[in-house]
Amino acid sequence: MTGILGLDSKKKDGMSEPNKMSGSTVVEDPGIPLVDRRNGKYNKYVQDDSQNGSHADLSALGPPGKFDNISYRLSRRKLLIKRRRICVNIECTLALIGVIVMLVENELIFAHKITKADAVSIFLKSGISVSTLLLLMAVIGYHVIGIQLHMTDNSLEDWRLAVNFPATFLKILMELMICAIHPIPGNITTHVTDPKSEGHDVSIDAILSILMLMRFYLVGKFLVVHSRLLTNTATQSLGALNKVKINTVFIFKALMSTMPGTILIFIMLGILLSSSWAMRTCEIYYHPDPEHSTFFNCMWMIAITFLTVGYGDIYPNSYCGRFVAVSTGLMGVGTTALLVAVLAQKLEQSRAEKYVHNFVYRAQLDKERKHAASDVIKYVIQLWRMKKHSEVSDRKRIRLHGKLLQAISNMREAKNEKSSIGENAIGVIEISKSVNDVYDIVEKMEDTNKELKDQVNNMESKLSDMSTKMDALYTAMMRK
């Protein structure tokens, strides 16, 4: 009983303790502690009580965080960017090795030099599996470095705060799935049916080999990581100030604006070569045909499909080949649209060229207008002479009236064309320049108005002083 009573008394004392604190505005619940982040760490909430003069002991918050040192953050960021670049280089190297070994193994099988059950094929596929495993490790390392870089940029010490759980994990998982696709050792077959309703057993290596070509997305990552726009600190600062993310999309747009022709040529060549090999692989595996077994025939079929011509002399005989053809057609439509847009932009006149062309065209229109005006005067004088000499025939007078009306029409057309050139010459740059000029004029007027107000105030103060002195002088004179 005494133990129980003692325990109860302790509980009562503990519960009554917060109520005895006079002047406290916050009652803390021991089960739900309030926290505050200071110096990069989460510490217990501390509140100064100004009424009773008590102050919190800030030394209990611990030493400053490591991210509070700006030099440490900059050096760490530079080191992480260098590591990420090395990691991407390793990814591209491993992916390229795997793709090359896969191409060699398939070409040897296409040439009937080896079979799927031979030791050479198993050895090559084992090498592909090893390179794929190393590639997956490199991909994970790349994302780990990216999280560390985000923590450094935002002064975060907990990695969970730097990870957007649904989006980041889905992105990592999708990239791992793409890089994990490769033909596995052995010969795994499946039963398929071609468009002619003929069924037969084929190896799944065709699909896995074609999907393995998706690793070429690492080329884009390589270009992004090695771009100066991503590594330059000034670009990152300007992007942060203007709320622009310096990412893959931004760098691709920058490359398309600086060298669009080169980028489009590489994209078109990559699509042409990869789609041709994929078409050849599909046709050899799923529907062997001498017409589709050559690489150049497949390249011809992909080219006419890419350009949406489609002569119909060669067409795919398997569902896999048809899927490749449809994908190539869709990519061809998008790439052709980009090519047309780039050509239109290149053929457009620059600002200086527009000014030169408009200046020359205006001079030509002025000359035509003057000639038309002189013709009008000439025909009017001739009509006046004809009217004065009544012996002239009506037919000649009517012909002269027609020439006069044509000259007047030419003069009006030249005038309207000149005014339309002036309207078309006004672009966004000219409008922005005019707006800036107006702002400058308004600012100068405001400065002038301010100066006038200051001068008026000075004059008023001087007049007030003079009035005061005159009153004082008048008072002194009256006293005398």
Side-chain angles (χ1 to χ4, degrees):
M1 292 293 292
T2 57
I4 296 175
L5 291 174
L7 182 60
D8 292 337
S9 63
K10 289 181 180 179
K11 288 184 178 180
K12 290 180 180 179
D13 294 336
M15 293 179 63
S16 61
E17 188 68 21
N19 297 327
K20 295 179 181 179
M21 297 174 61
S22 61
S24 178
T25 57
V26 177
V27 178
E28 296 184 359
D29 185 4
I32 308 176
L34 300 176
V35 294
D36 181 27
R37 187 176 186 275
R38 297 189 182 182
N39 296 327
K41 295 185 178 181
Y42 290 94
N43 300 285
K44 193 173 181 181
Y45 180 82
V46 180
Q47 180 176 359
D48 293 339
D49 197 345
S50 59
Q51 295 181 0
N52 55 9
S54 61
H55 298 281
D57 187 9
L58 296 179
S59 61
L61 296 177
K66 59 182 180 180
F67 289 114
D68 293 337
N69 190 352
I70 188 66
S71 61
Y72 171 78
R73 290 174 58 189
L74 292 176
S75 60
R76 180 175 172 80
R77 186 178 186 276
K78 185 177 180 180
L79 179 62
L80 290 175
I81 289 176
K82 183 178 180 181
R83 289 180 180 176
R84 185 173 63 176
R85 192 181 299 117
I86 295 173
C87 191
V88 171
N89 293 340
I90 295 173
E91 288 183 19
C92 291
T93 304
L94 292 173
L96 186 61
I97 291 173
V99 171
I100 291 175
V101 175
M102 180 269 296
L103 293 175
V104 170
E105 193 265 343
N106 279 284
E107 291 299 327
L108 290 176
I109 291 176
F110 295 161
H112 302 288
K113 301 295 182 180
I114 60 174
T115 60
K116 295 290 183 181
D118 290 344
V120 177
S121 177
I122 296 175
F123 176 76
L124 292 176
K125 288 183 178 180
S126 300
I128 296 173
S129 299
V130 172
S131 65
T132 301
L133 180 61
L134 296 176
L135 176 60
L136 295 178
M137 295 172 61
V139 169
I140 295 174
Y142 170 82
H143 287 285
V144 170
I145 294 173
I147 293 173
Q148 293 176 353
L149 187 61
H150 185 74
M151 292 171 60
T152 303
D153 292 338
N154 296 276
S155 300
L156 301 175
E157 294 187 359
D158 192 350
W159 65 271
R160 289 170 292 184
L161 298 175
V163 175
N164 187 5
F165 281 94
T168 304
F169 281 105
L170 287 177
K171 181 180 178 181
I172 297 174
L173 182 61
M174 184 176 65
E175 190 169 359
L176 290 175
M177 289 176 61
I178 292 174
C179 294
I181 298 174
H182 69 285
I184 58 178
N187 186 18
I188 302 176
T189 60
T190 182
H191 186 77
V192 296
T193 304
D194 58 10
K196 296 181 180 180
S197 300
E198 296 179 359
H200 47 277
D201 295 333
V202 295
S203 176
I204 64 171
D205 289 346
I207 299 296
L208 296 177
S209 299
I210 293 172
L211 294 178
M212 192 177 176
L213 296 177
M214 291 191 298
R215 294 185 181 184
F216 281 111
Y217 83 94
L218 293 172
V219 177
K221 184 189 287 189
F222 179 84
L223 294 176
V224 170
V225 171
H226 288 270
S227 176
R228 294 183 61 87
L229 294 174
L230 190 67
T231 58
N232 193 2
T233 308
T235 307
Q236 296 287 340
S237 302
L238 289 174
L241 291 174
N242 293 280
K243 296 181 180 180
V244 176
K245 293 183 179 180
I246 310 299
N247 50 14
T248 306
V249 178
F250 177 83
I251 294 175
F252 178 75
K253 290 180 180 179
L255 292 176
M256 285 296 295
S257 62
T258 53
M259 45 181 182
T262 306
I263 299 297
L264 285 178
I265 288 174
F266 276 107
I267 291 175
M268 293 174 68
L269 287 177
I271 294 174
L272 180 63
L273 295 176
S274 60
S275 299
S276 300
W277 188 86
M279 177 65 71
R280 179 168 174 256
T281 303
C282 287
E283 295 300 313
I284 289 177
Y285 270 99
Y286 294 101
H287 195 281
D289 186 4
E291 187 178 7
H292 295 82
S293 60
T294 60
F295 184 76
F296 291 104
N297 284 339
C298 291
M299 186 178 290
W300 165 252
M301 182 170 58
I302 291 298
I304 60 178
T305 306
F306 183 83
L307 299 174
T308 64
V309 178
Y311 291 111
D313 53 348
I314 301 177
Y315 55 89
N317 294 318
S318 62
Y319 289 115
C320 177
R322 292 182 178 182
F323 177 77
V324 173
V326 171
S327 303
T328 304
L330 293 176
M331 290 186 290
V333 170
T335 309
T336 305
L338 286 175
L339 183 62
V340 171
V342 169
L343 289 177
Q345 184 180 5
K346 291 295 182 182
L347 293 176
E348 186 180 0
Q349 289 181 333
S350 63
R351 186 182 178 188
E353 291 173 347
K354 285 182 180 179
Y355 279 140
V356 172
H357 173 72
N358 292 334
F359 180 80
V360 175
Y361 196 33
R362 283 197 195 98
Q364 183 180 355
L365 290 175
D366 287 335
K367 189 182 294 185
E368 292 179 359
R369 186 182 178 188
K370 290 178 181 179
H371 285 304
S374 63
D375 291 339
V376 169
I377 296 173
K378 180 177 68 174
Y379 294 143
V380 168
I381 293 174
Q382 290 180 3
L383 285 173
W384 177 75
R385 287 179 180 178
M386 287 182 181
K387 188 176 181 181
K388 187 176 181 181
H389 302 285
S390 58
E391 67 273 5
V392 180
S393 62
D394 294 336
R395 185 176 180 182
K396 190 174 182 180
R397 187 181 294 110
I398 291 172
R399 190 185 307 115
L400 198 58
H401 269 290
K403 291 182 179 180
L404 176 62
L405 294 176
Q406 184 65 35
I408 294 173
S409 177
N410 293 335
M411 186 173 62
R412 289 177 178 175
E413 287 180 359
K415 181 180 179 181
N416 295 331
E417 187 69 21
K418 185 178 179 180
S419 61
S420 66
I421 289 176
E423 293 176 357
N424 294 330
I426 300 175
V428 178
I429 299 176
E430 287 77 11
I431 293 174
S432 61
K433 186 178 179 181
S434 301
V435 170
N436 292 330
D437 293 339
V438 171
Y439 281 150
D440 293 337
I441 294 172
V442 171
E443 187 176 357
K444 290 180 181 179
M445 292 178 64
E446 289 179 354
D447 294 338
T448 306
N449 190 15
K450 187 176 180 180
E451 291 178 358
L452 289 174
K453 286 182 179 180
D454 294 338
Q455 291 178 1
V456 170
N457 292 330
N458 291 331
M459 291 178 65
E460 288 180 353
S461 61
K462 290 180 180 179
L463 289 174
S464 178
D465 294 339
M466 291 177 64
S467 177
T468 304
K469 291 179 180 179
M470 291 294 293
D471 292 339
L473 181 61
Y474 177 76
T475 304
M477 291 177 64
M478 290 298 293
R479 288 178 180 177
K480 291 181 179 180

